[in-house]
Each structure stands twice: as structure tokens, then as C-alpha cells.
Amino acid sequence: MGVDHLAGHMFEGFILHDWSDEQYLKLLKNCYKALPEHGMAIVVEGIFPEIPERSPYAQVLCHSNLFMMTHNPVGREQTRNEFLDLAMGAGFSCIRLECQAYNY
């Protein structure tokens, strides 16, 4: 099962983690409002582990989170539960976390 290209708007991934939770929620709400009926949003963001772990993926996100905190004090990586809370708070209901990928 692949992803079919559909007309619509896209923006670069790894953007939402740049903002505070309030701004993150506002961006998600604006995306939700802009969707047509039965529309879909694909969010490309890192999901920070709930419990510390040593996997390469977790190490990359830890470094990213530290970088975010030093360059943008309101930005940070979200955990799965934090992301789900924000997405549901924006109005999304059918939320799937599909995969994790990293390039380190």
C-alpha cells in the first residue's frame, strides 16, 4: 500500500517541533480546518521515547531535542502521548503512527 499523490498543500517535515505547545496546537488546528471533507494530514516529526532508551533512533532524537532547547527555547520533541493529545485537541480523530526512520 503506497501513498497516492493528491492535489493539496504541503510543507517541509520537522517543523512542528520548532514551536511551543500552544503554537503547535494552533498550527495543527489550522491544518485541520483547511482539510476538505475526508482530507488527511501527514505529519513528519520525531517521536521522543516515553522511557529513556539507547536505540540509534532515540539517540538522534535526544541530540535533536538538546539542539532545539539551545537554539529555540520553546521548541522540543514530543512524546507519542503528547503528540496524540495535541492532534486530538486540534480535532483529528483517526491518528496512525506509521513508522520511524532516521538517517544517522
Side-chain angles (χ1 to χ4, degrees):
M1 176 155 112
V3 175
D4 296 326
H5 180 269
L6 303 173
H9 300 284
M10 286 187 168
F11 56 88
E12 186 178 333
F14 298 103
I15 296 295
L16 294 172
H17 70 180
D18 292 343
W19 306 99
S20 68
D21 287 354
E22 294 78 23
Q23 293 164 320
Y24 195 121
L25 181 60
K26 184 177 180 179
L27 286 165
L28 285 176
K29 283 182 178 183
N30 287 341
C31 289
Y32 184 79
K33 288 178 193 174
L35 287 173
E37 188 176 349
H38 305 295
M40 180 186 307
I42 299 173
V43 176
V44 179
E45 286 289 323
I47 300 293
F48 205 69
E50 297 280 346
I51 300 170
E53 58 182 73
R54 292 179 168 246
S55 71
Y57 177 76
Q59 290 175 10
V60 167
L61 284 176
C62 184
H63 292 157
S64 175
N65 204 34
L66 289 171
F67 180 80
M68 289 297 303
M69 290 188 297
T70 59
H71 287 83
N72 183 0
V74 298
R76 66 184 180 86
E77 305 294 346
Q78 303 289 334
T79 65
R80 180 183 190 277
N81 288 335
E82 290 168 336
F83 174 75
L84 291 173
D85 287 345
L86 289 165
M88 289 185 288
F92 291 97
S93 57
C94 296
I95 303 164
R96 295 187 332 226
L97 301 175
E98 286 295 322
C99 67
Q100 66 183 29
Y102 53 93
N103 61 354
Y104 294 92

